[in-house]
Amino acid sequence: MQGFNKYYPPDFDGEKHGSLNAYRGKHALGDRARKIDQGILITRFELPFNIWCCNNHIGMGVRYNAEKRKVGMYYSTPIYAFRCKCHLCDGWFEIRTDPQNTRYVVDSGARKQDVDWDPEENGGFAVHDTNAAESGSVDPLVALEKSTDALIRQETVGRPRIESLQTVSDRYNTDPYSLSTKVRKRFREEKKIEKAIKAKDDEVKRRYGLPESLGLVREDDPGLDTEAKEQFHEARRKLAVEGVSLGRRPGLSGSSTKSSLSATVLRNPLRRSDPFSTHDRTSRQSGRSLGVSVRK
C-alpha cells in the first residue's frame, strides 16, 4: 500500500516554516519553477503548425519544454509567449498567442510554413471571393441603394423594436422585489389549489379502488363541455346519415306508432297462452277486444 504520510523533521516548525517545501527551500512545482522569480514557468508545449528553423523543417505536433511567460494583455485575456530551443540546432524560437485572431504567431527565431492549396490545380472548384474590396470596383449606385435600404429599415424597424425592448426591460427592472413578491404569491396560491384538487382525487381513487396512475377529469375543465357537445353533434350527424330520426324507431311513421305499440303489448300475453296463434289473428283479436282499429 502506498504511503500518504509525510516525514516532518524534529526541527520543523509550522508557524516558522509554513510547509515542508518552504522548509526544504523548494517550490511545489519542483524543477519546473526554477525560473519562477523571473516570471517564467517551464511547461510542455506542442507546435500548432509546421515551421522552418535554421533551414530545417519541424513538423506540427513536436513537443518542447518551453519557457512560458506573460508578455501582455488583450482586454482581459493574457498574451503568453513560449520560448523553445530547437532540437536540430542551438537556436531558440518564440511563439506567442494571438487572442484577437484566435491563433498562434511566430515571433522570432523561425517562420511558419505557408502551404497554399489551389483547388483548381487539384481537380476542384475555385472558392468564390466574397470580399468586394479585393474583387474589384463596386457599382456606386448599388452600394448607395443598399445603404439607403439599410438606413430605412433601421429607422422603421430596428429603432422602434429596440425602444420597445428597452421600455419593457425598464418596466420589469424598476422594482424587481415587488414583481418577485407577486410571482411568489401567485405561485403559492396555485400550489394550494393544486394540492387540494390532488387530495380530492386521491380520496376518490381510494374510495373506488382506482389505480394511482389514473388521471381524473376536473369538473371545471373548460374543454369538457366542448368535447361532450362535439360528441353529441357527431352522433346526431351519424343518425341523420343513416336515416333515423331522434325519438322514433326506424321504419315506423308517426301515425302507426300507437297501433303498433298496442298490438305488441297485447300479443305477448296471447303467445304465452296460445303459442300457435298467428300474428294476424292476434292483431285482429286485440284490435276488436280493445276497440282499436288496426290500419292495414
Side-chain angles (χ1 to χ4, degrees):
M1 180 177 178
Q2 182 180 359
F4 294 96
N5 297 329
K6 297 180 180 179
Y7 172 73
Y8 292 89
D11 57 344
F12 174 77
D13 187 1
E15 296 181 356
K16 178 181 179 181
H17 301 98
S19 64
L20 289 176
N21 291 325
Y23 172 79
R24 297 188 176 93
K26 295 183 178 181
H27 196 272
L29 298 178
D31 190 56
R32 295 176 53 197
R34 61 179 180 271
K35 297 183 180 180
I36 197 69
D37 55 340
Q38 304 175 17
I40 298 175
L41 179 65
I42 308 300
T43 184
R44 198 69 172 166
F45 180 72
E46 182 177 334
L47 290 181
F49 40 70
N50 300 331
I51 63 173
W52 290 97
C53 177
C54 302
N55 296 326
N56 295 318
H57 176 266
I58 304 176
M60 178 179 62
V62 178
R63 298 180 180 182
Y64 293 94
N65 293 329
E67 298 179 357
K68 177 184 176 182
R69 71 182 190 279
K70 182 179 177 181
V71 294
M73 294 287 295
Y74 176 73
Y75 294 101
S76 60
T77 305
I79 300 176
Y80 293 105
F82 299 91
R83 186 168 179 264
C84 309
K85 185 176 182 180
C86 181
H87 66 285
L88 301 175
C89 62
D90 295 334
W92 292 78
F93 61 90
E94 185 174 303
I95 298 178
R96 296 188 179 187
T97 60
D98 186 6
Q100 182 178 2
N101 301 313
T102 62
R103 62 177 183 177
Y104 289 91
V105 294
V106 179
D107 182 67
S108 61
R111 58 186 176 88
K112 179 181 177 181
Q113 181 184 10
D114 295 328
V115 180
D116 296 332
W117 185 78
D118 190 358
E120 293 182 351
E121 295 180 355
N122 295 274
F125 297 94
V127 180
H128 178 66
D129 189 6
T130 57
N131 192 354
E134 297 180 359
S135 59
S137 60
V138 181
D139 189 356
L141 296 179
V142 175
L144 179 62
E145 182 179 358
K146 290 184 178 180
S147 60
T148 305
D149 293 341
L151 291 175
I152 294 175
R153 180 175 177 81
Q154 178 182 357
E155 295 295 332
T156 57
V157 179
R159 190 181 298 276
R161 179 60 176 168
I162 294 176
E163 292 177 354
S164 63
L165 293 175
Q166 186 66 34
T167 303
V168 173
S169 177
D170 295 340
R171 186 177 67 208
Y172 282 111
N173 296 326
T174 302
D175 191 4
Y177 177 76
S178 60
L179 295 176
S180 177
T181 304
K182 292 179 181 179
V183 171
R184 286 187 282 111
K185 181 179 179 181
R186 181 178 178 183
F187 174 74
R188 285 193 295 268
E189 293 175 354
E190 293 179 353
K191 190 175 182 180
K192 289 180 180 179
I193 295 174
E194 292 179 358
K195 189 175 181 180
I197 294 174
K198 185 177 183 301
K200 186 177 179 181
D201 293 346
D202 293 341
E203 178 64 22
V204 172
K205 294 178 183 178
R206 184 189 62 80
R207 184 183 305 171
Y208 294 101
L210 300 176
E212 295 293 336
S213 59
L214 179 64
L216 301 181
V217 179
R218 298 183 180 180
E219 297 179 356
D220 56 348
D221 190 359
L224 186 61
D225 296 339
T226 305
E227 184 178 359
K229 290 179 180 179
E230 291 179 355
Q231 292 180 359
F232 173 76
H233 291 302
E234 182 66 23
R236 192 167 185 174
R237 283 194 297 269
K238 290 182 179 179
L239 291 176
V241 171
E242 295 175 359
V244 180
S245 59
L246 296 177
R248 298 177 181 177
R249 295 181 59 187
L252 295 178
S253 60
S255 59
S256 60
T257 303
K258 183 177 180 180
S259 59
S260 300
L261 180 61
S262 60
T264 304
V265 170
L266 295 175
R267 184 170 60 248
N268 292 334
L270 288 176
R271 284 184 175 178
R272 296 194 194 99
S273 59
D274 187 7
F276 298 101
S277 61
T278 61
H279 173 68
D280 296 336
R281 187 190 311 168
T282 305
S283 300
R284 289 195 296 269
Q285 291 177 357
S286 62
R288 287 195 298 270
S289 62
L290 293 179
V292 179
S293 60
V294 179
R295 183 175 295 177
K296 295 181 179 180

